[in-house]
Amino acid sequence: MAELVPFAVPTESDKTLLVWELSSGPTAEALHNSLFTEFSQFGLLYSVRVFPNAAVARPGFYAIIKFYSARDAHRAQKACDRKQLFQKSPVKVRLGTRHKAVQHQALALNSFQCQELANYYFGFNGWSKRIIKLQELSDHEKRENEDIVAPLQKQSLKFFCALEVLLPSYACRSPGVGVAEEPVHELEEGPLSFLMKRKTAQKFAIQKALSDAFQKLLIVVLESGKIAVEYRPSEEIVDVRSEELHDLIQVSCISWKQSCQGEEEYLSDFSLEEDEFRLPKLD
């Protein structure tokens, strides 16, 4: 049976492993590194989180490990449960179970995580991005030319980016857009600081557009291990609040379609709450 792997934060219980009876000798950081090394052999990991045992339990740690793939999580659970791994005593590994019915809205991966996931399944050379448009939306120049400007008025640098992710081996391309804004105070910041903020705004716009493009792609892992890709275009590409931005998106989409006929980077972080899972009782 094929497995679908989206470019989204994994929240399903069958992608989550609970590891307990971890010894109290090493530090939490050392345990994190050891767990990451051990479990990443079975597939790409989204996160490894280590917690101290409750005060009523004996000293030690437990961990919550999240995979992108449920198939990888199952293989890791079977291979590592009741094994010593990196310590003298065996650990226990179980698939996560929800303590109560909790539904999470799908959260987009940030651009770094998207690239990590794409590199894992498609290979470093299996995909690329092409920037179609990178344009400043801030009214900085307009304000400079105005006769009356508030003496302590704060301004911002805003950039819009439109790009596409290309997957040549799958004859697939996915468009994405992003807008980023950086606050700037000209009276307090020098030219170098202003330039750095300009570069930062551009970088964030590209990252948001890249993440947006990947959200429309779905990785299909077949039973044979081969990879397929499904493109799922969304009707609303971004929440548009201004006519100017709306026009830019429309123009960029038209340009993208024309390039298809001719030829060929919401930072999100998922914080897992412990009370959403029920840890098995310690023996």
Side-chain angles (χ1 to χ4, degrees):
M1 182 176 178
E3 180 182 7
L4 305 180
V5 181
F7 284 85
V9 174
T11 59
E12 301 88 340
S13 59
D14 60 352
K15 296 181 180 181
T16 304
L17 293 184
L18 307 178
V19 184
W20 75 104
E21 294 200 356
L22 295 170
S23 62
S24 59
T27 62
E29 182 178 359
L31 281 173
H32 174 277
N33 295 337
S34 297
L35 288 166
F36 185 89
T37 300
E38 192 70 38
F39 284 88
S40 60
Q41 301 178 54
F42 301 95
L44 186 63
L45 303 180
Y46 169 73
S47 65
V48 176
R49 303 182 65 191
V50 179
F51 306 91
N53 287 341
V56 295
R58 59 175 175 267
F61 296 90
Y62 70 93
I64 298 176
I65 301 175
K66 300 188 75 67
F67 285 82
Y68 285 102
S69 163
R71 189 177 299 172
D72 293 342
H74 279 263
R75 290 195 302 114
Q77 190 275 327
K78 291 182 179 180
C80 298
D81 184 37
R82 300 184 185 277
K83 299 295 194 305
Q84 291 182 337
L85 302 182
F86 47 82
Q87 61 182 38
K88 295 181 179 180
S89 58
V91 301
K92 293 184 179 180
V93 184
R94 295 289 187 276
L95 286 169
T97 56
R98 294 291 183 184
H99 179 63
K100 54 185 176 181
V102 179
Q103 292 184 349
H104 289 284
Q105 181 181 2
L107 298 176
L109 297 176
N110 62 43
S111 62
F112 173 79
Q113 293 166 330
C114 286
Q115 292 177 84
E116 185 179 44
L117 190 58
N119 290 338
Y120 182 81
Y121 283 102
F122 306 139
F124 290 93
N125 298 320
W127 69 277
S128 63
K129 72 173 182 288
R130 183 173 75 91
I131 297 178
I132 299 171
K133 192 178 190 69
L134 182 59
Q135 179 173 330
E136 185 173 0
L137 301 180
S138 51
D139 54 356
H140 171 69
E141 294 183 0
K142 179 180 177 182
R143 288 182 178 178
E144 280 187 340
N145 296 329
E146 291 179 351
D147 295 330
I148 301 176
V149 179
L152 295 177
Q153 187 176 22
K154 288 190 176 182
Q155 302 180 18
S156 63
L157 291 169
K158 183 185 293 185
F159 278 87
F160 165 83
C161 177
L163 54 72
E164 63 180 357
V165 168
L166 307 171
L167 299 169
S169 299
Y170 304 94
C172 178
R173 61 180 71 201
S174 177
V177 296
V179 176
E181 187 172 5
E182 274 289 302
V184 61
H185 201 312
E186 293 184 357
L187 299 180
E188 297 178 359
E189 303 185 36
L192 181 58
S193 176
F194 182 83
L195 179 61
M196 292 299 294
K197 288 204 170 186
R198 183 182 176 87
K199 293 290 186 183
T200 299
Q202 292 176 337
K203 175 183 177 181
F204 285 166
I206 294 173
Q207 290 177 343
K208 288 184 177 182
L210 185 61
S211 176
D212 182 60
F214 274 116
Q215 303 319 304
K216 303 178 182 70
L217 297 176
L218 189 63
I219 301 171
V220 182
V221 185
L222 305 177
E223 287 190 25
S224 61
K226 292 184 178 181
I227 305 298
V229 178
E230 179 183 344
Y231 173 64
R232 302 176 301 173
S234 57
E235 294 183 1
E236 283 195 23
I237 297 178
V238 73
D239 180 19
V240 182
R241 296 185 179 180
S242 67
E243 289 299 325
E244 178 185 12
L245 179 56
H246 178 73
D247 292 340
L248 282 171
I249 293 176
Q250 295 301 319
V251 170
S252 297
C253 288
I254 293 173
S255 301
W256 175 79
K257 290 179 181 177
Q258 290 174 346
S259 67
C260 287
Q261 296 173 358
E263 47 125 1
E264 131 157 317
E265 249 164 259
Y266 201 77
L267 300 175
S268 66
D269 184 22
F270 178 69
S271 180
L272 183 63
E273 296 181 2
E274 297 175 51
D275 62 354
E276 293 180 5
F277 291 91
R278 178 173 61 252
L279 284 171
K281 294 182 180 180
L282 298 175
D283 294 339

